Amino acid sequence: MAVTAVEVIYRGIFQKSLSRNICRTIVLAARKEGKIGTAFGRYGDSPERNGIPAKYFAVIADEDEELQETLAQYEPKSVDVSIVVDDTLCKGVESWAWYGLQPINELTKEGGTLLVTSMLSSDDLMEDIHVSDVPYNLAIVKGAKSFSGLWVYKDDHTDVRILGALAKVCPQLLKLETYIDTIKEETDDDLKLQSTARSYDRVSVTPVEPGQGNPEEPFSFVKPGWEEMQNAIVVKGIEYGTGFRGGEEGFQATRNEYFKKYSTRTMRPVINFETCTKCTLCWIQCPDSCFDVTPEELYDADMEACCGCGVCEDVCPVPDCITMVNEEQFNDNASQYDHWKSDRDGYMKWLEEKIAVAKVEIGDAGRSHGFHQWGGYEQQIAITGVQDDD
Amino acid sequence: MTTTNVLPMIKGVHDTPLEEYFTSGHRTCQGCESALVMKLMVKAAGPRTIVLGSTGCMYVANTTYYSTPWVVPWMHTQLGSSGSAATGTAAGLKALMSKGKIKEEPINVIAFCGDGGGADMGLSAISGALSHQGYNLLILMYDNESYANTDIQISGSSPWGANTTFTPPGKVHRIMNQRWKKNMAPMMAVGHPGVRYVATGCASYAVDMMNKVRKALNIGGPTFIHTYDPCPKGWDFDPMYSHEVGMLAVETGIWVQYEIEEGVLTLNGPSRMLAEGRRKRKPVFEFLKRQGRFAHFTDEDVDYFQSRIDEMWEKWWLPGIIPIAKEGGDLTMGPREVL
Amino acid sequence: MTTDVQSSLEREELISGSEAIAIACALADVDVITAYPIRPYDTVMQYVSKLVANGEMKCEYIVAESEHSQFEIIKHASAVGARVFSGSSGVGWFYAFEALAVTCGLRLPMVAMVGNRALDDPGAFGCEHNDALAVRDLGWMLNWVDTAQEALDTAFMAWRVAEDSRVFLPCAISTDGAFLTHSQQIVKIPDKSLVDEFLPPYDRGDLVLHPDNPITIAPQVNEDWLMEIRRQTDEGMRNARGVILEAHADLKRIFGRGGDNPFIEEYMCDDAEIVLVGMGTLSLPLRVTVRRLREQGRKVGFVRIKWFRPFPTQDLQETLSRFKAVGVIDRDYSLGAPNYAGVVYNEVRSALYDLPTRIPIAGFIAGLGGREVTIPMTIEMFDQVQKAADTGKVDEPLQWIGVRN
């Protein structure tokens, strides 16, 4: 008698097919070992939005009645393995279907595993992962995040590498051979089978003690009762904005206090205020109105509002004036403008480092979202090779 | 008729108002061009504005409980009700003002709808609104070429051949959507003689779009704007390229930028240059190849798409606008194939 | 108690129920009215348009392009603080169903007239109550009137109660097609000053949609919120009962009309042993029948339900518990419902379930499609109820009366 639950926490749309593949394969493989299972996306997360965090679950049981225990609730209250297919999600999850920030390991049970695809070390990841009050393991499948679009799937083996690692970190669920047999039925690509096995051998596992990790108190939200809620489905609008930092000049929009975009981003813009020509394009073209206008008409991206789409970088006419950098490179949401004003040299040095990191990522096309152009993914995979840690 | 605001034309990006009336809290996709349309729309309209939003992405993802991004007063309306919502709001204000029950002042009334709510279900109500000339209102249809909120199903405004969750390319039928996109703005202009302003717009040309919103609100009576919004989710491209994809649609001649003011037609920006032959249309492939929704296209499909765009510029009586052949001309009216 | 002062402040006219409600719109200074043609309710809009054309009423009068738009337009006009009125019949009311449903959660005090009409198919103009009854679960207040005078007075009540901030719910006044929409009666029309005394201006307060009050109305919610919102709407309907009692007291004081109980009307029930219960103009044949049977010494009476939502549960419990047996007449159907009976039957029956003694209840479906409910039919119903009273049980819980075999 045993029930094993696995969740995949992923980026809406970009990793929808990836997470579905993972969970479906787990359930199909379980049949081969005579077990029964179910795979489902979190209903509240659909319809998914680009980049907004979402969840998929796979639950496996020995007996049908055991499975019903799980089906009797919306979603598992705790899981044996939390699979995270984008390491920037380690900062926490603010799904569009719920309020407040959920630590990435919220559902990971005692002795369970948090399985992350990342190029970073466990120490780097632990800076982001919130403290848990139970011991668990942090496992890393080395690799860049795999993003693709709604219609075209980037088959870079990330799905099978996750499954190979899962066999290692959660042996009570299914055997590696079972995963491989199941994958074989869906593809005749031997390379994929090799990726699966190699990942089993190479996944790194680090134990995490209670109290270890990011001590920050994730921002939460207490829902009022029907007598406190205003009648007629009315909520207050956003307050008028003010001058920059409340002053006379420039402009600073008031932001919604309940939904922040902290966990929506996989990248954030870093801005060179020295080379900015004040052309205004980043500010005008930003769909999230995230740029505050400074007194000297520079544009400071407010990280409460930026969802990391990258439009600002694309419309900026000045080379390297706006550069999108992997969100993992940042540990706070502080104002870059304030940093620059208080310490120009320090800021420019900081900026150079960030841009250097971004250049490397662009080099291996690791930051690409979605479908570029016909054959785009094949081109990318040709550059990077299939996801692998060789 | 109550008076209208007099909003000055915006002379270039540096003349754009700093104030934002659509800020953060919305949960739309990364790179959502429709969210940008909302921002520019109210930025142009200003604080003395009421916005009515019909069901769609700009409702469900854009305005959730306690997570409103709206600074100006905003109210939901039903999928097919953008026309009625605008009429009811304008009529209510007019009655209360004319009876002295509230202060007499110009208040902008804008109702938006997606292409599903506008070009499909809401067509009747929009037509009704555009026929009541006594009310000052703007109906803005943001067109992301599918029922994007419900997970990308085909609408009457989806392009030929596009992959949607209701028109997936299959083993037997590669092209499930054989319909050609509805020609919405001209339908509204031609069908409603009393309407003093109809325009098309695209947020990639932000100042042009904001000025069109201002012209529509200034001129009075019911007005209509149709914007073309690249959808990174449903069209499947990297969110950072929303702006580029919008420009490509114009430069390939697939989307035409124009306004019809007091019955006078003016093509704007690149569209004007294409019409005057001062610029050459880019091949539609430049536009199609950027998007996963066309990834199943064969060369023949691309050629067919190109031929229909060529025809629209070379054979239409009013190039890019009115699909009626010049005398002696002939147009492709039927579908390429019938499923 | 109606004094000369009042009589000097009212005039008499020979008008239909529809015309009475049109005049009520003028006296209530309604701001926005939307019309779309469908028989028989459309008569009210024919009178409204005349009043507007003759300058006897100042309002935004809009002929919409469909019933859906008719109700969406006044819904949004109501949100900016305008007093509104519209109406429909039969399938027209159903065409507007989406707008009718959303209005309740929005807590917008729309007032509508339903000229009760059978639902297509087949097309039929006659009276059935299924159109208005279709919204009974959604948060609409529903009432049925039986005279043109009551139509006029109830219209004032409707705005007064719907626009009370403790309620803020839409209200539909049902007038039986033909009987009230097309036949004329002598009606006392109060002076505007009396109406103003009874009916305060509509004040939307901090829920009003206006640039001076920047709010967001009806944002999308998930499962975290909807139960609370439904509970709020439920509270509005619960509050409606007390507000109706207040308004009814003022109606009696100012207009000198309205009867003893706003929710139900008893006719010759004081010493009755059995009664029939019904709504709307079923009262017309029943009053006559009751008098004739009483001439024969039979202790019968008639109870007319005036407000169906909120449902007068305690009033019916107190009244009907006095009788040996009860019959309920439905001018509607609820196919497949308990006992295959109509809507009113099952609502009355469930209201009486908690009584210490179980009263036999007979159900009758009659007058569908506007078919006349004749005096012999009502006598037959009384005979059935009498049998139930004598035997203490009902042989056939539900019978169709006046249907050809």
Side-chain angles (χ1 to χ4, degrees), chain A residues 297-370:
Chain A
E297 282 178 30
L298 291 166
Y299 300 93
D300 185 33
D302 183 335
M303 289 303 126
E304 273 195 27
C306 172
C307 70
C309 66
V311 165
C312 51
E313 181 194 61
D314 190 53
V315 297
C316 180
V318 181
D320 297 340
C321 180
I322 300 183
T323 312
M324 296 304 289
V325 178
N326 189 326
E327 182 65 19
E328 263 302 329
Q329 294 296 317
F330 308 90
N331 295 323
D332 63 32
N333 294 298
S335 156
Q336 293 172 17
Y337 173 80
D338 290 348
H339 183 182
W340 176 69
K341 282 299 255 193
S342 60
D343 169 17
R344 291 194 172 209
D345 299 343
Y347 179 79
M348 294 311 287
K349 191 163 166 304
W350 176 88
L351 183 68
E352 265 173 43
E353 291 164 8
K354 299 302 179 196
I355 293 175
V357 175
K359 293 282 187 200
V360 174
E361 290 200 336
I362 295 163
D364 68 11
R367 64 170 234 185
S368 168
H369 297 226

Side-chain angles (χ1 to χ4, degrees), chain A residues 47-49 96 99 283 314, chain B residues 27 39 65 149 233 244:
Chain A
E48 290 178 15
R49 312 289 164 179
W96 84 290
Y99 294 75
W283 166 70
D314 190 53
Chain B
R27 305 171 182 215
K39 173 182 113 167
Y65 202 67
N149 178 59
K233 171 184 170 181
E244 282 183 35

